[in-house]
Amino acid sequence: MTIQTRYRQADDKGRRDKVYQVTVYNKYLGKKEYVGTFERKRDAESAELDAKQRIRAGTPVHERREIGFSDFVDRWLEVLNVRETTRKEYTHTTNHLREYFKNRPVSGITKEHVQRFVSQKASEGYSDRYIRKMATRLSQVMNTAVEWGYLTVSPTSGGIRNLPKEPRREIHPLTAEETRRLIEAAPEYWRPAFLALVACGLRRSELFGLTHEDVDLETGLLTVKGQLVNGELSRTKTQAGSRTIPIPMQLRDALRSHLLRCPPNELGLLFPTENGYPVNPSNFYKRVWKPTVLAAGVRPDLKMHDLRKQFASVQVRQRRSAAYLQSVMGHRSAVTTLTWYAGVFEDELEAAAKDMGDWLAEEAASNYRAMCS
């Protein structure tokens, strides 16, 4: 057998972890060669397959390309096919990885090193969300190292055991009355933009990146093709982000009026500033969004992205299919939509209780009639 089960020395509590030791027979050398010991069977199987392929290719089993971690990150960043803003974010995040792993050989980084990195960042006070983001970058780097032949198995494979759980913000959709107050409280020029957020579930960058060509008021369709990033139009982040969304009559009417007062601008934006410039999201939040939320008397912590989640919640309540919801939200997976975006309206709880009570009453009456017949 080339994969054998072994047990490590018992710890203080008498527990013994199972590991898998891999050896392969090299017919060219006429002997067995040790490949490695792995915590997961699938990693052992992957290493075994890699070793056998090396033997068939005439390459030594233990021949391994070496490169320092920091040097490898440089190469990884060079080949990324992402937007410039995303590249900057990746560069910033991987600087934390460089600081910890320095230029240690990639092949020498173990699961223990990875878990110690997570532990150190937690002790330094970084948020759970940012620690998960750094861990994601590390996994991307290490998986690429496997693809490029610097590693047989990534030290992040199978997950990172001490990684903090991803925080989840509770979803509390606005009621119809609160939504009406929010839209009415918005400045007249921006009211159609608020209505578009509610009726179409757009991301902030998508709203401000809409152009006149993206809206067809005759057919009632809005097409999301790109987004506004740092004052410039760029394509959507993913292919799924490009989508077509039906718009209700109320929004059609609002957009017809808006087009008459929308100032001309070089990018042909549907929602530029009143002076015709691309929107600066930070300025919009401080000067328009926050005052509108306070004037409407709704939750003071309401974010623009919450209206996107509300859109998903309304669609679920209206019994739209998961496939449709995934499509209009621009997600790669319906699981993402239903898990992270759909919430429960408060009146649904009351309606559910009433419906169950009605059903129980009907069942009881039915049983009574059966006994009497």
Side-chain angles (χ1 to χ4, degrees):
M1 295 179 62
T2 56
I3 300 180
Q4 295 181 311
T5 303
R6 296 284 186 268
Y7 292 90
R8 289 177 174 166
Q9 184 175 354
D11 59 16
D12 295 339
K13 296 182 179 180
R15 295 176 301 194
R16 301 177 66 194
D17 291 335
K18 182 190 294 185
V19 294
Y20 301 92
Q21 181 177 296
V22 181
T23 57
V24 293
Y25 180 74
N26 190 329
K27 63 181 180 180
Y28 299 106
L29 299 179
K31 65 176 183 179
K32 287 185 178 181
E33 291 191 83
Y34 172 74
V35 176
T37 300
F38 305 88
E39 295 180 359
R40 299 195 313 164
K41 190 171 183 179
R42 71 172 66 174
D43 293 339
E45 292 171 344
S46 175
E48 177 192 23
L49 179 61
D50 178 71
K52 288 180 177 179
Q53 289 175 341
R54 285 177 178 273
I55 291 174
R56 285 195 294 269
T59 305
V61 170
H62 290 289
E63 182 180 72
R64 180 180 285 166
R65 300 166 64 195
E66 294 290 355
I67 188 172
F69 180 82
S70 186
D71 292 337
F72 185 81
V73 170
D74 286 336
R75 294 191 185 184
W76 178 70
L77 290 172
E78 286 175 2
V79 302
L80 284 179
N81 183 23
V82 294
R83 293 181 305 167
E84 190 56 35
T85 52
T86 303
R87 184 182 300 279
K88 289 180 180 178
E89 189 274 320
Y90 279 20
T91 301
H92 183 269
T93 309
T94 52
N95 282 340
H96 292 281
L97 305 179
R98 295 173 191 265
E99 180 184 342
Y100 183 84
F101 294 104
K102 303 188 185 303
N103 213 28
R104 177 196 301 270
V106 169
S107 61
I109 297 177
T110 65
K111 285 183 177 290
E112 180 181 354
H113 293 134
V114 172
Q115 291 181 14
R116 287 187 179 278
F117 166 75
V118 170
S119 178
Q120 177 172 312
K121 291 305 174 182
S123 67
E124 292 174 0
Y126 287 95
S127 68
D128 292 348
R129 184 173 184 178
Y130 196 67
I131 291 174
R132 291 186 65 86
K133 180 180 287 189
M134 288 187 281
T136 298
R137 299 293 165 265
L138 181 58
S139 294
Q140 290 175 304
V141 170
M142 289 304 187
N143 289 339
T144 304
V146 173
E147 293 175 5
W148 291 0
Y150 292 100
L151 285 175
T152 301
V153 179
S154 168
T156 61
S157 65
I160 304 172
R161 293 187 178 182
N162 64 334
L163 198 62
K165 293 184 178 180
E166 187 169 0
R168 178 174 179 176
R169 189 166 181 255
E170 290 293 327
I171 302 173
H172 299 289
L174 299 179
T175 65
E177 171 61 22
E178 289 174 325
T179 302
R180 182 191 61 78
R181 295 206 313 264
L182 179 69
I183 295 173
E184 290 182 352
E188 185 178 1
Y189 176 79
W190 290 111
R191 206 165 290 160
F194 276 71
L195 184 54
L197 287 173
V198 171
C200 298
L202 299 171
R203 298 176 176 90
R204 181 181 68 182
S205 59
E206 293 171 345
L207 174 75
F208 296 136
L210 286 176
T211 66
H212 292 261
E213 296 179 353
D214 296 333
V215 179
D216 188 335
L217 296 180
E218 295 303 317
T219 61
L221 295 176
L222 182 151
T223 303
V224 178
K225 300 176 182 175
Q227 51 191 344
L228 188 71
V229 180
N230 295 330
E232 297 181 357
L233 286 175
S234 64
R235 57 185 171 83
T236 55
K237 194 170 183 179
T238 65
Q239 186 175 357
S242 299
R243 61 199 190 277
T244 300
I245 306 170
I247 53 180
M249 190 58 67
Q250 294 92 325
L251 180 55
R252 287 200 222 183
D253 295 340
L255 289 177
R256 284 193 180 94
S257 300
H258 176 74
L259 289 173
L260 297 177
R261 68 169 70 99
C262 180
N265 57 94
E266 293 182 359
L267 298 178
L269 298 173
L270 185 62
F271 295 114
T273 66
E274 294 179 84
N275 296 323
Y277 295 104
V279 171
N280 179 302
S282 297
N283 288 341
F284 181 86
Y285 181 79
K286 289 185 292 186
R287 298 175 183 176
V288 180
W289 178 263
K290 197 64 177 176
T292 299
V293 169
L294 294 177
V298 296
R299 297 197 322 269
D301 64 340
L302 186 72
K303 310 295 183 186
M304 292 180 69
H305 200 69
D306 289 339
L307 294 187
R308 178 166 162 79
K309 295 180 179 180
Q310 173 166 317
F311 171 80
S313 302
V314 172
Q315 296 293 318
V316 170
R317 186 172 187 177
Q318 294 175 346
R319 300 182 180 179
R320 299 290 177 250
S321 69
Y324 172 82
L325 187 54
Q326 172 192 349
S327 174
V328 295
M329 290 290 289
H331 288 150
R332 292 177 180 173
S333 168
V335 174
T336 299
T337 307
L338 297 175
T339 302
W340 297 101
Y341 284 82
V344 177
F345 289 89
E346 289 186 8
D347 60 347
E348 280 188 276
L349 301 176
E350 298 175 6
K354 181 180 182 303
D355 289 345
M356 178 56 73
D358 292 344
W359 180 81
L360 289 172
E362 178 61 28
E363 283 294 298
S366 176
N367 291 335
Y368 177 76
R369 287 194 296 270
M371 286 188 295
C372 293
S373 62

